[in-house]
């Protein structure tokens, strides 16, 4: 099997000498002497190395275990037995004896023959570390509350309790690069028993992780408060100590880690999960399981905001003694993190990143269960926890390349990159929403003030005072540092203002009805004008303007809420355009009527003239007839006279005769 990059089954590549084509006894002797001297020097230096750098006890206080009877079938049965599991890591008043790290480093499962060469070196290293630790304790390196004594095993300890606190400092030197910026904190307390020994063995898995990534570690080995409240108290003390340091020397992030965790892949640094630099307002990285928050492992930025959070968690049961905390400090932290002041600084990340639960690689693997290449496995609230941890400890001490994968080849880089990309996108969307909400609030205040000025004589004084009070509250919410970007708070203040606007609303409704009636009257006349005359090319431009005005007025009428002033403005504009069209139509009609009247008059004149001519002709005809008749009468008279004369003549002639 191929060797692991960190703890291989065979000697690491940098220890394997390159093959050279150089022979000779002298050359080989020199090489052997050099190797022996190097090994001797290394062993000598190791005896002076602080024991804490090897121990790295980790993950104390399993104070956050949960239980919920309504777990779905997808949740492993052992995770639902929380109420039956006692937190052996936080037994009040009990303190552990110093553990024999040489014995503890031996895995119970793998045979010595199956251990890697580096694994054996680790066993020796731990043994030397234990010896050095005793010396350091005797010299007073660890903090203590009572004078140190020596038990029958030769271990230095106080008369009634073991060493209170172990601090494993990170390396700060030119040879190791920059100072540590990330550290771990844990608590390991309780009576010495098999399960407690398992916790100590689990801490050893953190030792390699800490050395590889240069993480300092703070380990409390004594309860300093009742029940599980030592956890936030110790975290607070570490946070305050870091903040008391100069900025150039303090840590930037601290991970809390419970004692019931096993590092499976020490190649993965905790830094990979931290937010990008542009999200410097993110102070807490948490994970949730089916019960809500699980604070077995979480990250905190070293800031005063973290001090406020931990102080609030510690104070919660004091100020809210009647509130039932199902999971004690964990429930208090979940409640506090849900408040606006801390919520905006908190990001929930995928549970499997650094708080995975046990599981096997098959088709039933749940999203919260550990996979090969993942950094660690956590055992909150499981039955026979010690036995289960030993199984995974054996797996960790095998240093299998299937588990100890180079971080570049794990799923973490892509997952983390995608997560923070989506986080940024959602944050930008949230900021846009907040911007819109603030704009809406400012517009509402402006509108309310304008309406109060407009309806001053119609709104009662007591109603006006209520409205002004809510306007003031909304204004304060928009300008208060803690709420100015809080969409929920701003929306709530807007709703409260809206609740007292009924006097203005009633006036608005009455005015809106009046405006709507005016609009419909104008629309009726305008549409009638366009429908009647839209075929006339000479009125095409005026008709188009009226049609556009009709659309605008209808749009204003459909808008909610109705903006009275703008609607009235559009109504007046439409009325004006419609009047212009009507005027042109009337002018055209007037011209047509004038022309028609002139034509009628001309026809009448022509008719009269024709009639006069006809009458004149008739008179002429009558006169001609009269003249003719007169002439005939005269002729007739002449004929009669002539006949008479002829008759007289004949008579005379006859007389003469």
């Amino acid at each position: 099997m191929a060797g692991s990059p960190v703890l291989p089954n065979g000697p690491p590549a940098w220890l394997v000498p390159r093959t050279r084509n150089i022979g000779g006894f002298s050359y080989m002797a020199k090489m052997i002497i050099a190797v022996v001297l190097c090994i001797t020097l290394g062993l000598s230096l190791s005896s002076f190395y602080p024991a804490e750098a090897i121990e790295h006890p980790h993950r104390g206080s399993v104070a956050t275990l949960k239980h919920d009877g309504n777990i779905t079938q997808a949740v492993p049965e052992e995770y639902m037995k929380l109420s039956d599991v006692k937190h052996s890591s936080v037994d009040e008043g009990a303190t552990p004896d110093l553990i024999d790290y040489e014995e503890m480093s031996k895995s119970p499962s793998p045979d010595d023959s199956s251990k890697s060469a580096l694994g054996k070196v680790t066993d020796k290293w731990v043994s030397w570390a234990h010896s050095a630790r005793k010396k350091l304790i005797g010299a007073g390196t660890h903090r203590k509350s009572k004078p140190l004594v020596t038990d029958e095993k030769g271990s230095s300890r106080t008369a009634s309790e073991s060493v209170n606190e172990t601090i494993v400092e990170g390396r700060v030197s030119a040879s190791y690069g920059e100072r540590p910026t990330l550290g771990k904190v844990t608590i390991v307390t309780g009576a010495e028993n098999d399960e407690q020994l398992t916790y100590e063995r689990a801490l050893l898995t953190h030792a390699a992780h800490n050395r590889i990534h240069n993480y300092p570690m703070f380990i409390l080995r004594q309860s300093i408060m009742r029940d599980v409240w030592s956890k936030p108290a110790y975290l607070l003390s570490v946070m305050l100590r870091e903040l008391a340091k100069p900025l150039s020397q303090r840590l930037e992030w601290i991970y809390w880690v419970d004692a019931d965790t096993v590092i499976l892949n020490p190649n993965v640094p905790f830094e990979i999960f931290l937010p990008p630099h542009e999200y410097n307002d993110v102070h807490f990285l948490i994970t949730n399981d089916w019960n809500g928050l699980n604070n077995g492992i979480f990250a905190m930025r070293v800031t005063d905001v973290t001090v406020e959070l931990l102080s609030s968690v510690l104070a919660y049961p004091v100020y809210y003694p009647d509130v039932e905390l199902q999971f004690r400090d964990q429930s208090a932290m979940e409640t506090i993190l849900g408040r606006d002041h801390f919520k905006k600084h908190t990001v929930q990340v995928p549970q499997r990143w650094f708080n995975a639960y046990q599981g096997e690689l098959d088709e039933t693997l749940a999203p919260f269960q550990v996979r090969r290449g993942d950094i660690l496995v956590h055992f909150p609230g499981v039955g026979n926890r010690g036995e289960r941890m030993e199984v995974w400890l054996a797996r960790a001490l095998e240093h299998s390349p299937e588990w100890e994968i180079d971080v570049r080849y794990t799923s973490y880089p892509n997952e983390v990159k995608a997560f923070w990309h989506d986080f940024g996108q959602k944050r930008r969307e949230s900021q846009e929403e907040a911007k819109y909400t603030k704009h809406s609030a400012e517009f509402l205040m402006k509108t309310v003030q304008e309406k109060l000025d407009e309806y001053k004589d119609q709104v009662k004084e007591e109603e006006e005072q209520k409205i002004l009070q809510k306007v003031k509250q909304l204004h304060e919410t928009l300008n208060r540092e803690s709420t100015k970007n809080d969409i929920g708070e701003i929306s709530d203040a807007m709703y409260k203002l809206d609740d007292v606007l009924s006097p203005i609303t009633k006036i608005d409704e009455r005015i809106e009805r009046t405006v709507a009636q005016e609009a419909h009257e104008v629309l009726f006349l305008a549409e009638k004008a366009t429908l009647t005359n839209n075929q006339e090319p000479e009125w095409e431009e005026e008709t188009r303007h009226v049609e556009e005005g009709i659309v605008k007025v209808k749009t204003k009428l459909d808008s909610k809420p109705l903006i009275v002033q703008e609607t009235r403005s559009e109504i007046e504009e439409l009325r004006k355009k419609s009047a212009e069209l009507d005027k042109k139509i009337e002018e055209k009609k007037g011209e047509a009527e004038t022309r028609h009247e002139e034509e009628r008059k001309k026809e009448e004149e022509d008719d009269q003239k024709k009639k006069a001519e006809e009458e004149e002709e008739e008179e002429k005809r009558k006169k001609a007839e009269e003249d003719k008749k007169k002439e005939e009468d005269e002729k007739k008279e002449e004929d009669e006279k002539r006949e008479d004369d002829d008759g007289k003549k004949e008579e005379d002639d006859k007389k003469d005769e």
Side-chain angles (χ1 to χ4, degrees):
M1 186 177 292
S4 165
V6 178
L7 298 175
N9 293 331
W14 53 272
L15 285 180
V16 179
R18 297 181 181 177
T19 303
R20 298 188 179 182
N21 295 325
I22 300 176
F25 176 81
S26 176
Y27 176 82
M28 294 302 295
K30 290 179 181 179
M31 291 298 296
I32 292 172
I33 292 172
V35 171
V36 171
L37 288 174
C38 289
I39 294 175
T40 303
L41 179 60
L43 296 180
S44 300
L45 291 175
S46 68
S47 64
F48 298 103
Y49 196 84
E52 299 92 315
I54 295 93
E55 291 166 9
H56 272 292
H58 189 47
R59 305 276 176 158
S61 168
V62 190
T64 61
L65 306 184
K66 302 182 176 181
H67 175 70
D68 188 344
N70 298 322
I71 301 300
T72 62
Q73 293 182 357
V75 180
E77 181 180 355
E78 58 269 26
Y79 287 104
M80 295 187 280
K81 299 178 180 178
L82 169 81
S83 59
D84 301 328
V85 180
K86 185 177 182 181
H87 296 180
S88 61
S89 60
V90 198
D91 292 340
E92 181 66 26
T95 54
D97 290 332
L98 292 180
I99 304 304
D100 189 335
Y101 284 84
E102 182 176 6
E103 292 298 322
M104 204 166 55
S105 64
K106 297 177 181 178
S107 175
S109 300
D111 186 71
D112 286 344
S113 61
S114 66
K115 288 185 178 180
S116 67
L118 186 54
K120 294 179 179 179
V121 172
T122 302
D123 288 343
K124 293 295 183 182
W125 181 271
V126 171
S127 177
W128 299 321
H130 179 53
S131 175
R133 182 184 184 196
K134 292 179 183 178
K135 296 177 182 179
L136 290 171
I137 293 172
T141 300
H142 293 271
R143 298 180 179 88
K144 54 188 182 297
S145 59
K146 294 185 179 181
L148 290 175
V149 298
T150 305
D151 60 15
E152 68 266 22
K153 297 180 182 180
S155 299
S156 297
R157 53 182 295 177
T158 64
S160 62
E161 58 195 36
S162 65
V163 175
N164 296 345
E165 183 181 34
T166 303
I167 301 177
V168 183
E169 300 290 350
R171 303 180 299 266
V172 183
S173 67
S175 59
Y176 289 108
E178 297 181 357
R179 63 177 176 83
T181 58
L182 186 148
K184 300 180 186 177
V185 180
T186 191
I187 299 178
V188 182
T189 63
E192 183 174 333
N193 52 37
D194 291 342
E195 186 168 304
Q196 195 67 16
L197 292 175
T198 300
Y199 291 153
E200 297 287 352
R201 287 171 54 77
L203 292 181
L204 283 178
T205 65
H206 287 268
H209 187 237
N210 295 342
R211 287 196 301 273
I212 292 170
H213 303 293
N214 194 24
Y215 297 150
M217 192 163 186
F218 304 82
I219 309 157
L220 181 66
R221 296 184 173 278
Q222 172 185 322
S223 294
I224 57 178
M225 295 191 70
R226 61 181 176 81
D227 197 26
V228 299
W229 299 96
S230 293
K231 177 176 179 174
Y234 185 49
L235 265 173
L236 178 59
S237 72
V238 173
M239 191 65 61
L240 289 172
R241 274 183 278 176
E242 287 300 314
L243 287 171
K245 297 177 182 178
L247 186 62
S248 61
Q249 298 178 20
R250 71 177 62 156
L251 298 175
E252 296 177 4
W253 283 86
I254 287 177
Y255 271 81
W256 169 268
V257 286
D258 275 354
D260 58 342
T261 55
V262 176
I263 292 288
L264 299 174
N265 187 1
N267 298 320
V268 179
F270 268 142
E271 287 90 344
I272 193 173
F273 308 116
L274 298 181
H277 294 300
E278 59 264 31
Y279 306 131
N280 55 10
D281 61 330
V282 175
H283 298 327
F284 311 110
L285 299 184
I286 62 171
T287 62
N288 281 20
D289 62 12
W290 49 89
N291 285 321
L293 172 68
N294 182 282
N295 67 350
I297 304 98
F298 61 95
M300 302 171 293
R301 195 188 292 271
V302 179
T303 64
D304 57 339
V305 179
T306 303
V307 173
E308 293 172 0
L309 170 69
L310 296 171
S311 301
S312 300
V313 172
L314 274 171
Y316 194 88
V318 178
Y319 288 97
Y320 304 96
D322 298 329
V323 176
E324 181 182 356
L325 298 175
Q326 183 179 5
F327 305 119
R328 298 176 289 182
D329 68 306
Q330 180 170 269
S331 296
M333 178 175 284
E334 184 171 22
T335 301
I336 297 297
L337 285 174
R339 294 178 177 174
D340 295 331
H341 181 62
F342 298 106
K343 186 177 181 180
K344 62 185 178 182
H345 298 301
T346 305
V347 174
Q348 178 187 335
V349 300
Q351 182 185 351
R352 208 199 86 249
W353 278 10
F354 51 75
N355 195 11
Y357 295 167
Q358 58 183 329
E360 295 299 332
L361 293 180
D362 55 31
E363 65 278 2
T364 64
L365 196 64
F368 60 85
Q369 290 178 316
V370 69
R371 290 158 171 74
R372 288 185 175 91
D374 287 355
I375 186 172
L376 59 78
V377 61
H378 185 203
F379 301 87
V382 298
N384 61 329
R385 177 162 46 195
E387 296 178 10
R388 293 177 180 272
M389 287 182 65
E390 287 295 343
V391 173
W392 287 87
L393 278 167
R395 181 172 292 174
L397 291 176
E398 288 176 356
H399 308 301
S400 169
E402 294 182 0
W403 285 90
E404 295 186 353
I405 303 171
D406 189 298
V407 65
R408 294 173 298 175
Y409 306 121
T410 66
S411 61
Y412 286 137
N414 289 334
E415 288 182 17
V416 172
K417 182 179 180 181
F419 176 86
W420 289 113
H421 176 271
D422 292 343
F423 173 82
Q425 182 65 29
K426 292 177 181 177
R427 168 169 282 199
R428 286 187 290 273
E429 292 174 357
S430 177
Q431 290 171 345
E432 287 297 321
E433 184 180 0
K435 183 178 179 181
Y436 174 79
T437 303
K438 291 167 68 175
H439 176 74
S440 300
E442 291 169 354
F443 178 77
L444 175 61
M445 289 191 298
K446 179 182 177 182
T447 303
V448 170
Q449 191 61 55
E450 290 176 350
K451 289 184 180 296
L452 284 175
D453 294 339
E454 183 180 356
Y455 306 152
K456 191 172 184 64
D457 297 335
Q458 304 177 56
V459 179
K460 296 179 181 178
E461 184 177 354
E462 58 271 19
E463 294 173 338
E464 182 180 5
Q465 291 303 317
K466 287 182 180 179
I467 295 172
L468 290 175
Q469 182 182 5
K470 297 302 179 182
V471 169
K472 181 180 178 182
Q473 291 177 1
L474 177 55
H475 182 268
E476 291 173 350
T477 302
L478 288 172
N479 290 277
R480 191 183 301 119
E481 187 65 28
S482 60
T483 58
K484 65 180 182 180
N485 293 315
D486 191 319
I487 298 175
E489 287 288 338
I490 296 173
S491 299
D492 185 57
M494 291 174 67
Y495 292 142
K496 290 180 180 178
L497 172 57
D498 188 64
D499 288 341
V500 298
L501 292 180
S502 56
I504 292 179
T505 303
K506 290 179 181 178
I507 299 174
D508 279 342
E509 290 174 351
R510 185 173 67 250
I511 294 175
E512 286 176 8
R513 286 193 296 270
T514 303
V515 170
Q517 184 176 357
E518 293 176 4
H520 286 104
E521 291 175 356
V522 173
L523 287 171
F524 174 77
L525 295 175
E527 289 176 343
K528 180 180 179 182
T530 56
L531 290 173
T532 304
N533 305 290
N534 61 0
Q535 299 298 326
E536 295 292 337
E538 57 187 311
W539 303 329
E540 182 178 355
E541 184 176 355
E542 289 79 3
T543 302
R544 180 172 55 80
H545 290 163
V546 172
E547 289 174 344
E548 290 174 354
I550 291 172
V551 172
K552 290 180 179 179
V553 171
K554 287 183 176 181
T555 301
K556 291 296 181 182
L557 289 176
D558 291 338
S559 63
K560 302 297 179 184
L562 180 66
I563 303 176
V564 175
Q565 294 298 333
E566 293 183 4
T567 305
R568 277 182 166 164
S569 176
E570 293 296 342
I571 290 173
E572 291 303 318
E573 187 68 20
L574 176 59
R575 195 195 303 274
K576 180 180 177 182
K577 292 176 180 178
S578 181
E580 291 177 356
L581 178 60
D582 288 339
K583 181 180 179 181
K584 293 216 170 186
I585 292 173
E586 290 300 324
E587 289 177 353
K588 188 69 175 178
K589 285 182 177 180
E591 292 176 358
E593 289 177 356
T594 301
R595 187 168 55 254
H596 178 71
E597 182 66 20
E598 290 176 351
E599 290 177 352
R600 184 184 63 78
K601 287 181 179 180
K602 186 177 180 181
E603 288 178 356
E604 287 180 354
E605 289 176 355
D606 291 342
D607 289 343
Q608 290 177 356
K609 185 177 180 180
K610 184 178 180 181
K611 186 177 181 181
E613 291 177 351
E614 289 177 352
E615 288 177 351
E616 185 178 355
E617 289 292 329
E618 182 66 20
E619 288 179 357
K620 288 181 179 180
R621 184 183 63 77
K622 287 181 178 180
K623 186 177 180 181
E625 288 179 353
E626 288 177 357
D627 292 342
K628 184 178 179 181
K629 186 176 180 181
K630 183 178 180 180
E631 186 175 322
E632 288 176 353
D633 290 342
E634 289 177 353
K635 186 178 179 180
K636 185 177 179 181
E637 287 178 0
E638 288 177 359
D639 289 341
E640 289 177 354
K641 185 178 180 180
R642 189 169 50 251
E643 286 178 359
D644 290 339
D645 292 338
D646 289 340
K648 285 180 176 183
K649 186 177 179 180
E650 285 178 1
E651 289 179 0
D652 291 334
D653 287 338
K654 285 179 177 181
K655 287 178 177 183
D656 292 336
E657 288 179 359

